């Protein structure tokens, strides 16, 4: 094994292969920082070029891109509050809260270091675990895989905020959004409203950007000023090193969670990151800072998600089952180069296995170093008027959303889900559980259907299911006991910020949201009666708890209703402006509405001088058109005026 590892390291340091690795790393860093693009877009744009290279060089280029995406998307998560992936949602929650407090460089520093250690830990564990990884994966059957996904969803719902009802309702709402489109177990199309656009369901990119990115842009545009309301002391970014050192053992434990979570196909990163985040909460004495800028939450999240990068490839290489979308593209590249993944790959191509380990380890270190080098400059962005940053940011989100089907439905759905995310943010509903529920709905439905087909309901008595299920049941039982003991005591005032927002929830918006979600669940229940029995399983799993929870929140909202809509009026007008932009793009194409949007943001919201705004706006528009040409080759064409 050592001989094969040394040969792989020597092969990697060939100048051409090393150049290919670092080229992929740079592309991965850039795309990781762009909301909505991320690893899949980075690997996709590199795919046509790898076939001009030798197999090892081409694969090294793809590995370089995948290995640093979770490192560089820390930048977007912290500064903008828009996670590049569901696995980065805890970083967005804690890191963005710190950025608003003027501590962006501190959050970025811990995130970069934890990502680096997570990648190295994953590489080190897999260096010795490759021969036994196959049996570990084979030990997990569909009931255990379903329960593992359920644990990740529960942790996402219960770890943020003090209101478990809102967290669970948000998770159920995310699962409901995830079942839109074709059913996996029967020939049914669910909740499509006879719209061709919905036949394939919602895109993960659009859901993530809408719930987080657009919602944050609305709030910050309305508030004015920079992302941070305090001056960022970039000369003190070394504080991140000290914070990391204090949390070093937490990072290592989170990395181990990420490695083993990555073994689970299609579930790993989303579930294991939240398990690691939950572990950070349970292992911290003072839990009051979580959701308001707790550095340990960032350390655990980044340590776990970066460790998952390499372990995602384990089921890909051993069983031809991609661990995620980027791994699926990597699998296709392997086939193209004549490699056929399977259990025998360990003995037939050990040098390739170790090439992957070395590539991830090297890019984890170099990528974190490059991110650290630009941290001071990036932290200064938090003091720039946000409207200046918002102009290109919103348009990049539009491009990211438009990747899905290249239709106007992508743009409309982006801002529609952005409105939902804004309601959730101001209504006190955590958005991360909705995003995680959306991601896990697909694999959960597959595992749930197979489990019931194979085992009936006897799977509930399997030892592995009972052990994994205890991770949910025991904390719920302890929480119930604590509430019983607290009865009769004088209620303590709610924390000022129990949720990932610096403002207290709006009672009026919370009531409106509860009413909307109640109607959604009620309609979904009525619609399920027209589905085949196999198609009802997953919607039922979301509706049965989701509808009672939404109705409970609706009744609770009516009892404590206060008319406080006026305080969010400015943000509502920004949301309306974005909807007007979407309608204008549909009517007139991309160019005219985009020019108008840029002018409004720069001249009205940012109050730039005309000539400065003209130069900057022209550059932004040129870059946006270039990105459309590079990524899609087309742009939205107007329905009323047929040019863009």
């Amino acid at each position: 094994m050592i001989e094969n590892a040394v040969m792989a390291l020597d092969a990697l340091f060939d100048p051409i292969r090393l150049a290919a690795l670092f080229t992929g790393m740079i592309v991965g860093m850039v795309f990781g920082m762009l909301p909505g693009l991320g690893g899949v877009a980075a690997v996709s744009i590199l795919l046509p070029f790898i076939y001009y290279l030798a197999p090892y060089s081409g694969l090294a280029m793809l590995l370089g891109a995948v290995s640093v995406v979770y490192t560089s998307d820390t930048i977007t998560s912290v500064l903008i509050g828009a996670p590049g992936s569901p696995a980065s949602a805890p970083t967005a929650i804690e890191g963005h809260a710190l950025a608003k407090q003027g501590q962006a460089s501190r959050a970025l520093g811990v995130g970069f270091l934890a990502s680096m250690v997570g990648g190295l830990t994953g590489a080190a564990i897999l260096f010795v675990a490759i021969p036994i990884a196959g049996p570990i994966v084979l030990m997990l059957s569909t009931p255990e895989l379903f329960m593992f996904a359920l644990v990740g969803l529960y942790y996402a719902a219960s770890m943020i905020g003090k209101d478990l009802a809102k967290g669970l309702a948000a998770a159920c709402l995310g699962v409901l959004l995830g079942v839109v489109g074709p059913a996996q177990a029967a020939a049914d199309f669910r909740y499509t409203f006879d719209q061709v656009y919905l036949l394939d369901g919602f895109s993960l990119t659009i859901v993530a950007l809408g719930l987080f990115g657009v919602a944050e842009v609305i709030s910050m545009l309305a508030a004015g000023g920079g992302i941070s309301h305090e001056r960022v002391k970039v000369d003190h970014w070394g504080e991140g090193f000290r914070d990391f050192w204090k949390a070093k053992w937490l990072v290592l434990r989170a990395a181990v969670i990420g490695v083993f979570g990555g073994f689970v196909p299609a579930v790993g990163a989303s579930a294991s990151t939240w398990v690691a985040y939950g572990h950070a909460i349970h292992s911290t004495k003072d839990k009051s800072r979580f959701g308001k800028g707790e550095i340990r939450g960032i350390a655990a999240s980044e340590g776990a998600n970066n460790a998952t990068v390499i372990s995602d490839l384990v089921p890909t290489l051993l069983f031809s089952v991609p661990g995620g979308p980027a791994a699926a593209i990597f699998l296709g590249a392997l086939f193209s180069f004549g490699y056929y993944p399977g259990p025998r790959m360990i003995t037939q191509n050990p040098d390739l296995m170790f090439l992957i380990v070395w590539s991830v380890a090297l890019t984890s270190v170099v990528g974190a170093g490059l991110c650290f080098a630009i941290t001071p400059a990036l932290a200064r962005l938090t003091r720039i008027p946000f409207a200046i940053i918002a102009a290109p940011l919103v348009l990049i989100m539009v491009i990211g959303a438009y990747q899905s089907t290249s239709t106007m439905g992508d743009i409309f759905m982006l801002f529609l889900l952005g409105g939902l995310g804004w309601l959730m943010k101001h209504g006190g509903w955590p958005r991360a559980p909705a995003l995680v529920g959306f991601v896990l709905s697909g694999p959960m439905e597959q595992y749930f259907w197979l489990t019931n087909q194979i085992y009936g309901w006897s799977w509930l008595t399997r030892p592995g299911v009972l052990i994994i299920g205890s991770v949910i049941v025991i904390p719920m039982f302890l929480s119930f006991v604590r509430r019983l003991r607290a009865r009769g005591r004088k209620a303590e005032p709610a924390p000022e910020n129990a949720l990932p927002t610096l403002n207290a929830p709006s009672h009026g918006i919370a009531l409106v949201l509860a009413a909307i979600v109640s109607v959604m669940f009620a309609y979904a229940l009525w619609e399920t009666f027209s589905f085949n029995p196999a198609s009802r399983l997953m919607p039922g799993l979301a509706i049965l708890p989701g509808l009672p929870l939404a109705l409970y929140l609706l009744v609770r909202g009516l009892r404590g209703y206060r008319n406080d809509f006026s305080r969010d009026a400015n943000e509502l007008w920004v949301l309306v402006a974005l909807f007007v932009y979407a309608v204008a793009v549909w009517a007139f194409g991309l160019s005219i509405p985009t020019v108008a949007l840029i002018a409004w943001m720069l001249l009205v919201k940012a109050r730039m001088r005309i000539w400065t705004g003209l130069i900057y706006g022209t550059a932004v528009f040129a870059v946006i058109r270039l990105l459309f040409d590079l990524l899609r080759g087309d742009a939205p064409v107007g329905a009323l005026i047929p040019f863009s």
Side-chain angles (χ1 to χ4, degrees):
M1 184 177 73
I2 299 297
E3 181 181 355
N4 291 325
V6 173
M7 291 176 59
L9 182 62
D10 181 66
L12 179 63
F13 275 91
D14 176 83
I16 295 179
R17 291 170 187 157
L18 205 59
L21 179 71
F22 289 144
T23 299
M25 184 190 69
I26 297 298
V27 172
M29 286 184 62
V30 172
F31 276 77
M33 288 186 285
L34 298 177
L37 299 182
V40 178
V43 174
S44 299
I45 204 169
L46 288 173
L47 198 59
F49 301 100
I50 67 171
Y51 299 116
Y52 294 101
L53 302 172
Y56 274 20
S57 300
L59 294 175
M61 180 178 286
L62 293 183
L63 287 168
V66 172
S67 302
V68 297
V69 167
Y70 280 143
T71 304
S72 61
D73 78 353
T74 304
I75 297 169
T76 306
S77 298
V78 171
L79 296 184
I80 309 300
S85 68
S88 300
T91 303
I93 291 167
E94 304 294 353
H96 191 53
L98 284 171
K100 290 182 176 180
Q101 299 165 26
Q103 302 180 58
S105 54
R106 178 188 175 202
L108 289 168
V110 172
F112 296 151
L113 284 172
S115 292
M116 180 186 71
V117 172
L120 290 174
T121 303
I125 290 177
L126 288 179
F127 184 86
V128 297
I130 283 176
I132 62 173
I136 291 176
V137 177
L138 289 175
M139 288 172 59
L140 299 173
S141 57
T142 53
E144 287 76 23
L145 294 175
F146 173 74
M147 287 303 298
F148 187 81
L150 198 62
V151 167
L153 184 58
Y154 171 76
Y155 267 71
S158 61
M159 290 298 105
I160 296 299
K162 300 294 183 182
D163 198 331
L164 182 59
K166 289 182 176 179
L168 292 175
C172 293
L173 177 61
V175 174
L176 186 64
L177 292 175
V179 300
V180 173
Q184 298 193 20
D188 271 332
F189 287 93
R190 300 175 297 206
Y191 311 122
T192 60
F193 304 97
D194 295 325
Q195 297 296 313
V196 175
Y197 174 76
L198 294 176
L199 291 180
D200 289 329
F202 295 121
S203 162
L204 170 60
T205 297
I206 294 175
V207 174
L209 286 179
L211 292 181
F212 283 89
V214 174
E216 292 297 332
V217 166
I218 291 169
S219 296
M220 286 187 281
L221 267 176
I227 296 172
S228 170
H229 298 293
E230 298 182 20
R231 184 175 181 81
V232 179
K233 298 180 180 179
V234 295
D235 55 331
H236 290 167
W237 59 269
E239 185 179 356
F241 284 87
R242 293 189 291 272
D243 288 325
F244 166 77
W245 185 251
K246 292 177 183 177
K248 57 185 180 296
W249 300 117
L250 172 63
V251 173
L252 289 173
R253 295 193 300 271
V256 173
I257 293 172
V259 168
F260 286 98
F263 290 167
V264 182
V267 175
S270 299
S272 60
T273 299
W274 281 101
V275 172
Y277 183 68
H279 170 67
I281 294 178
H282 290 308
S283 61
T284 303
K285 292 182 179 179
D286 181 12
K287 300 175 175 57
S288 62
R289 291 293 307 167
F290 282 93
K292 296 182 288 187
E294 172 56 62
I295 205 72
R296 287 173 62 84
I298 300 173
S301 171
E302 291 302 309
N305 64 31
N306 220 46
T308 306
V309 170
I310 187 170
S311 54
D312 264 347
L313 296 174
V314 171
T316 306
L317 296 170
L318 296 183
F319 307 108
S320 297
V321 179
I329 297 174
F330 186 79
L331 178 63
L334 285 173
F335 285 137
S336 300
F337 284 127
Y339 295 104
Y340 297 97
R344 290 183 296 176
M345 178 171 273
I346 295 176
T347 56
Q348 293 178 347
N349 304 103
D351 50 346
L352 175 61
M353 303 290 286
F354 286 108
L355 175 75
I356 294 171
V357 172
W358 289 123
S359 297
V360 173
L362 182 59
T363 50
S364 294
V365 175
V366 177
L370 286 176
C371 287
F372 254 113
I374 60 176
T375 293
L378 292 172
R380 292 190 185 98
L381 293 177
T382 61
R383 293 294 293 166
I384 296 175
F386 182 74
I388 296 177
I389 304 173
L393 181 63
V394 169
L395 296 174
I396 288 173
M397 290 182 186
V398 169
I399 294 174
Y402 199 68
Q403 299 294 301
S404 301
T405 64
S406 295
T407 66
M408 275 304 305
D410 295 330
I411 299 177
F412 280 121
M413 194 55 62
L414 172 69
F415 293 120
L416 184 64
L417 289 171
L420 177 62
W422 180 80
L423 288 173
M424 294 179 72
K425 177 181 178 180
H426 288 279
W429 288 44
R431 291 164 287 167
L435 184 59
V436 176
F438 175 82
V439 173
L440 295 183
S441 62
M444 283 177 67
E445 180 171 18
Q446 179 184 359
Y447 296 144
F448 192 38
W449 182 79
L450 287 173
T451 294
N452 279 280
Q453 290 295 310
I454 297 171
Y455 301 99
W457 291 101
S458 64
W459 64 274
L460 291 170
T461 61
R462 289 171 62 91
V465 171
L466 294 175
I467 293 172
I468 298 173
S470 66
V471 178
I472 298 176
V473 175
I474 292 176
M476 289 184 69
F477 176 75
L478 294 176
S479 176
F480 178 71
V481 170
R482 283 194 296 268
R483 290 186 180 184
L484 286 179
R485 290 178 177 177
R487 278 188 176 183
R489 300 177 185 174
K490 185 178 180 180
E492 297 181 1
E496 182 182 351
N497 183 14
L499 294 163
T501 173
L502 292 183
N503 297 318
S506 165
H507 293 273
I509 291 179
L511 179 62
V512 170
L513 181 59
I516 292 173
V517 175
S518 297
V519 171
M520 290 174 63
F521 278 123
Y523 173 80
L525 177 62
W526 178 76
E527 187 76 10
T528 56
F529 292 110
S530 63
F531 298 158
N532 290 318
S535 302
R536 299 174 187 169
L537 286 175
M538 204 60 203
L541 197 63
I543 296 167
L544 289 180
L547 181 57
L549 284 167
L551 292 173
Y552 162 73
L553 293 171
L554 178 62
V555 173
R556 197 178 74 179
L558 288 170
R559 289 178 177 176
Y561 174 72
R562 292 202 303 268
N563 187 357
D564 50 6
F565 287 102
S566 58
R567 77 176 196 183
D568 299 309
N570 290 337
E571 297 188 19
L572 185 59
W573 283 114
V574 174
L575 177 60
V576 170
L578 293 178
F579 274 116
V580 170
Y581 169 72
V583 173
V585 171
W586 167 80
F588 305 111
L590 180 72
S591 298
I592 297 174
T594 298
V595 170
L597 181 71
I598 293 174
W600 174 67
M601 288 187 178
L602 298 183
L603 302 180
V604 178
K605 303 302 291 185
R607 297 181 180 179
M608 293 181 70
R609 296 179 179 178
I610 293 179
W611 286 109
T612 306
L614 179 62
I615 295 172
Y616 177 68
T618 301
V620 168
F621 181 78
V623 170
I624 294 303
R625 287 310 305 244
L626 178 63
L627 284 174
F628 262 111
D629 293 339
L630 288 176
L631 296 175
R632 295 302 314 179
D634 54 12
V637 177
L640 302 182
I641 300 180
F643 61 82
S644 61

